[in-house]
Amino acid sequence: MPTSCAGASHEVKALVDEPCQHSADFDQLWRNHEVRHYGDHVKHLRHPVPGEIALEQSQLAVDGRTGLSLVVYNPVTASDALRVRELVDARKAAKRI
């Protein structure tokens, strides 16, 4: 299975092995590198604690690295940002215990 794309690693191979074994379609897509770009859009997540969080997703090209991009998620509203901050703060507090 080809994992020679930028950023591919042993961990990627381990992640992709199972779906490749169970789906001929997935295996063919992976081998042909037929991967679609994310593009820019809003993603809605439902978290059990703060509820729905809307995140704007942007994909940025990395200069000089063909096939490598950076995906960034930003809260859409101030209340979405507050929900994300509360989750981050709760996680930090849990690590201190």
Side-chain angles (χ1 to χ4, degrees), residues 29-91:
L29 289 171
W30 183 258
R31 289 180 185 280
N32 293 335
H33 299 288
E34 294 178 18
V35 179
R36 293 188 180 114
H37 293 284
Y38 291 103
D40 296 340
H41 67 279
V42 174
K43 183 175 286 259
H44 296 272
L45 305 176
R46 290 188 188 172
H47 190 279
V49 176
E52 186 170 309
I53 301 172
L55 300 170
E56 181 181 50
Q57 175 181 311
S58 300
Q59 182 176 358
L60 310 169
V62 177
D63 288 342
R65 297 290 306 266
T66 303
L68 185 63
S69 62
L70 173 68
V71 178
V72 178
Y73 296 93
N74 287 307
V76 173
T77 67
S79 60
D80 291 318
L82 180 61
R83 287 185 195 100
V84 171
R85 173 54 47 204
E86 289 170 352
L87 287 172
V88 170
D89 290 346
R91 180 147 177 118

